[in-house]
């Protein structure tokens, strides 16, 4: 059937405990895998390469369900490729997570009543490194718990020495190429984190605010403007109207009085203004709004900073020193006192940007920052997908990717933090700027100092696919493992990370960073809601691993992983996956106790029973199916196919159908034992990438070989036997139909019933003993009275139910159910025949009634047949 790279040894029939205890197995197994070097990757190997980088988790974090989900999928891919003979590299590492990590350490300092400024920059950074060494390894231990087959000897950190060299190298290269520049622009500013925030790190939410309409100017020169941020009016330097708006034509170019200040501001004409919106006039605050900044640039307007970095009013006067929200109320009150408030709307629900880290309301703020000019980089990132060098999976997400890269604005890469890659630019006493590479001498002398900002975390993580392999040096690892084979990541990182890696990879390496991007969805709770601490629905996967085992958590996550679709998960599902692991365990123990083996060649098909040939035919079909699904990143369908094959076909049908053969012993039992060994060997290898621990334990017990981690991946031998498949399908039909009838008659599953089987002339004859065993059917002895006759699959099964059920009670119960079904039909038909009802009722309501009618009609047919099959009253 399939070749195994290891030499089969006798099965260890006494090696398996009665029950499977994950806690006793998983830890030692994982350490054995690592010690034996199964997860290392050799750049000198002649095997084809398969490379995946881990989306580097934040050093501040711990393993949450999102990590467990993503890691399960990557581990499944890499374990399979390793078994297929690829030199497989799963590159591990962690991200320094600039803002998040600085916030954590600052909170620790605050407990002692200190701030980072009390320590100074150098001591604070040293303190962060100390914290990283103490706490940063937590997630590595949790990855081991999950079973991640990563190359630990290659573990990297985005602030380690090698990656720092890569960051400095590419910064200088881009600076020299004119792709990095410094400019004063409007950015998103967090008054809590005290740093610029990237556009993609802004969380927008609907907040209850206020919309205030007020008058500027006096007399005939009065103009009404509206704002949700009244405090910024102190920094207004113009009012803008549309050049074609006749209402304001006479005011364009005039100066009008700005309330609460001693200033006058011009009325300017700008096509950005929508004359249909509001009054058709807008206040212009160039230092605190991106659109206003653009208007200011076009009309050479003054920019006035109203708020400092903490959101405190800077403007001299009665409002100076007030917090922005306090100032908002105070300014509205002052305007009201002057009679300038025309209208106030509260609450006014509008979209407001918040810091994704600390949830503080952000401020648009004019600031000098460092930027990446993205036009050519973004075009290259788009072209790589358009021309097929990179495939996005699922394809439905491709337009979303293009929508982003085709409309990308220049990227603000500077952050006003102390933890991170410091910008390698030195400023001189006369405004000079010198960019310094990793091997350059920095300028010295009076007045020279390094830029105080650090780089956006996504700048260094954008280099991850090649910086982790030694770039800018031309290493063997780069030669072997770049580009990556696939990137597996959440669709939420398409803009944060994926687009950055595409731009940097093409720019620095001249080739794409990965051949395929496989996007997955987000893990949600069992009702489909987003997990959050505030909702109390966050799950620690380690708790579930402790309770049910890592395999159960992995299988549950993989079974929900449809490409690009969110994954609901609940504890009941994990418990179900634990039951599956137990089922595999118990079935393998039964097989070993009954002589299942992988020794020797498979017997010739003519020596096998039809049941043997059926399961081998089905096995090859499943091997081919699983391969195709893996290649399409259909993890849920892979898991589902393996679940139903293993549980339904192997354990519930093949094992049960073969019990009569095993119990009879003899030559045929040995043939079936070899077939069962083959089926289990292949099935365990197919399951291994998703549930590695239980399959390793069982496979080594079955085969006596070293490890399934380095076993050959199964291949489809091409063996098919459609005749055997059709024959066993007939057996399944008989068993299923009779089981359904028994259940309908209220018989217990283990209750024995006398029966006569007429299988003559059908393919069922050789299976009579197995059918009787599965259905608990006794021979028809003297006094047998056929009270029920079931024609099925060309055969006839007669049962003697006398004495096994209370016929009259059963008839009464079924008659009651029949009357209820008939009543449902009458009610449904009445509604569906009412034209007035159909004209008003929503389509979904009508469809629901039609469904009820269909079900009730089916119930009538089913119940009537059950009543007809009941024994006659004595």
């Amino acid at each position: 059937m399939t070749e195994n790279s290891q030499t089969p040894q006798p099965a260890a029939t006494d090696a398996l405990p009665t029950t499977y205890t994950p806690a006793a197995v998983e830890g030692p197994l994982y350490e054995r895998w690592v010690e034996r070097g199964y997860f290392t990757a050799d750049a000198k190997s002649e095997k084809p390469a398969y490379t995946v980088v881990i989306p580097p988790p934040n050093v501040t974090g711990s393993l949450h369900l999102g990590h467990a989900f993503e890691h399960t999928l990557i581990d499944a891919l890499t374990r399979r490729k390793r078994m297929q003979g690829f030199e497989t590299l799963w590159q591990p590492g962690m991200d320094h997570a600039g803002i998040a990590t600085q916030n954590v350490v600052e909170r620790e300092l605050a407990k002692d009543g200190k701030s980072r400024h009390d320590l100074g920059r150098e001591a604070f950074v040293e303190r962060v490194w100390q914290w990283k060494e103490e706490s940063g390894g937590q997630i590595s231990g949790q990855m081991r718990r999950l079973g991640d087959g990563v190359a630990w000897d290659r573990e990297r950190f985005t602030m380690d020495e090698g990656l720092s060299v890569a960051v400095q190298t590419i910064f200088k290269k881009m600076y020299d190429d004119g792709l990095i520049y410094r400019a004063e622009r409007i950015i998103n500013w967090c008054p809590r984190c005290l740093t610029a925030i990237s556009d993609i790190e802004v969380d927008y939410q609907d907040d209850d605010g206020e919309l205030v309409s007020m008058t500027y100017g006096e007399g005939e020169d009065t103009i009404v403007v509206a704002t949700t941020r009244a405090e910024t009016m102190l920094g207004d330097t113009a009012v803008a109207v549309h050049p074609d708006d006749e209402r304001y034509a006479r005011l364009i170019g005039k100066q009008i009085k700005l309330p609460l200040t001693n200033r006058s501001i011009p009325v300017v004409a700008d096509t950005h203004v929508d004359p249909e919106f509001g009054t058709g006039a807008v206040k212009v605050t160039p230092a605190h709004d991106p659109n206003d900044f653009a208007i200011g640039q076009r009309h050479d307007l003054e920019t006035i900073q109203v708020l400092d970095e903490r959101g405190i009013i800077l403007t001299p006067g009665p409002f100076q020193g007030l917090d922005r929200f306090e100032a908002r109320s105070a300014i509205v009150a002052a305007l009201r006192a002057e009679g300038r408030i025309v209208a106030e709307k509260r609450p006014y629900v509008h979209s407001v940007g918040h810091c994704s880290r600390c949830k503080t309301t952000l401020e648009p703020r004019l600031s000098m920052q460092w930027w990446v000019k993205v036009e050519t980089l973004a075009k290259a990132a788009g072209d790589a997908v358009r021309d097929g060098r990179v495939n996005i999976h699922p394809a439905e997400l491709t337009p979303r990717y293009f929508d982003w890269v085709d409309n990308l604005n220049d990227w603000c890469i500077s952050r006003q933090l102390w933890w991170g890659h410091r910008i390698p630019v030195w400023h001189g006493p006369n405004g000079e700027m010198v960019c310094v590479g990793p091997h350059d001498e920095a300028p010295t002398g009076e007045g020279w100092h390094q830029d105080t900002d650090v780089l956006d975390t996504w700048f260094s993580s954008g280099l991850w696919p090649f910086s982790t392999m030694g770039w800018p040096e031309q290493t063997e690892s780069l030669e072997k493992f770049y580009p990556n084979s696939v990137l597996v990541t959440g669709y939420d990182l398409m803009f944060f990370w994926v687009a950055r890696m595409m731009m940097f990879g093409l720019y620095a390496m001249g080739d794409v960073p990965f051949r395929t991007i496989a996007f997955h969805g987000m893990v949600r709770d069992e009702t489909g809601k987003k997990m959050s601490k505030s909702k109390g629905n966050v799950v620690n996967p380690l708790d579930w691993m402790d309770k049910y085992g890592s395999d159960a958590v992995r299988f549950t996550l993989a079974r929900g992983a449809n490409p690009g679709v969110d994954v609901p998960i609940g504890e009941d599902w994990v418990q179900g996956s634990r039951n599956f692991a137990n089922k595999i365990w118990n079935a393998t123990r039964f097989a070993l106790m009954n002589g299942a083996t992988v020794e020797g060649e498979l017997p010739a098909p003519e020596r096998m029973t039809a049941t043997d040939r059926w399961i081998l035919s089905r096995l090859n079909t499943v091997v081919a199916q699983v391969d195709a699904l893996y290649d399409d990143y259909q993890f849920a369908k892979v898991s589902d196919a393996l679940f139903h094959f293993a549980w339904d076909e192997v354990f519930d049908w093949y094992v049960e159908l073969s019990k009569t053969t095993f119990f009879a012993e003899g030559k045929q039992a040995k043939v079936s034992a070899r077939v069962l060994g083959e089926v289990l060997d292949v099935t365990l290898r197919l399951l291994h990438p998703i549930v590695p621990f239980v399959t390793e334990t069982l496979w080594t017990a079955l085969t006596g070989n070293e490890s399934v981690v380095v076993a050959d991946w199964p291949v489809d031998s091409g063996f098919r036997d459609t005749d055997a498949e059709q024959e066993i399908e007939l057996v399944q039909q008989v068993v299923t139909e009779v089981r359904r009838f028994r259940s309908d008659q209220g018989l217990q599953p283990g209750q024995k019933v006398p029966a006569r089987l007429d299988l003559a002339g059908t393919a069922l004859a050789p299976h009579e003993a197995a059918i009787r065993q599965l259905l608990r059917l006794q021979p028809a002895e003297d006094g047998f009275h056929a009270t029920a006759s079931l024609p099925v699959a060309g055969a006839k099964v007669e049962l003697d139910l006398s004495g096994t059920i209370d016929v009259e009670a059963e008839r009464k119960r079924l008659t009651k159910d029949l009357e209820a079904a008939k009543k449902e039909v009458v009610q449904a038909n009445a509604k569906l025949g009412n034209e007035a009802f159909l004209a008003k009722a929503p389509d979904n309501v009508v469809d629901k009634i039609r469904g009820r009618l269909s079900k009730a009609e089916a119930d009538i047919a089913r119940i009537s047949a059950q009543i007809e099959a009941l024994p006659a009253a004595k």
Side-chain angles (χ1 to χ4, degrees), residues 8-15 591-592 595-599 698-704:
Q9 302 296 323
T13 55
D14 59 348
L592 290 174
T597 180
V598 296
E599 290 188 86
L698 294 175
W699 189 84
T700 53
L702 172 69
T703 67

Side-chain angles (χ1 to χ4, degrees), residues 742-762:
R742 286 176 56 110
S743 176
D744 289 341
Q745 302 307 317
L747 296 177
Q748 295 300 314
Q751 190 171 351
K752 294 181 179 179
V753 176
R756 184 162 51 220
L757 275 61
D758 182 1
L759 309 178
T762 73

Side-chain angles (χ1 to χ4, degrees), residues 25-66:
V25 170
E26 294 174 351
L29 261 189
Y30 187 84
E31 292 309 315
R32 191 182 313 153
W33 291 335
V34 173
E35 289 167 7
R36 291 176 176 176
Y38 292 155
F39 305 139
T40 60
D42 183 4
K44 298 181 184 296
S45 169
E46 294 184 0
K47 296 178 183 178
Y50 186 81
T51 317
V52 185
V53 294
I54 196 171
N58 289 352
V59 71
T60 57
S62 60
L63 192 72
H64 55 64
L65 266 181

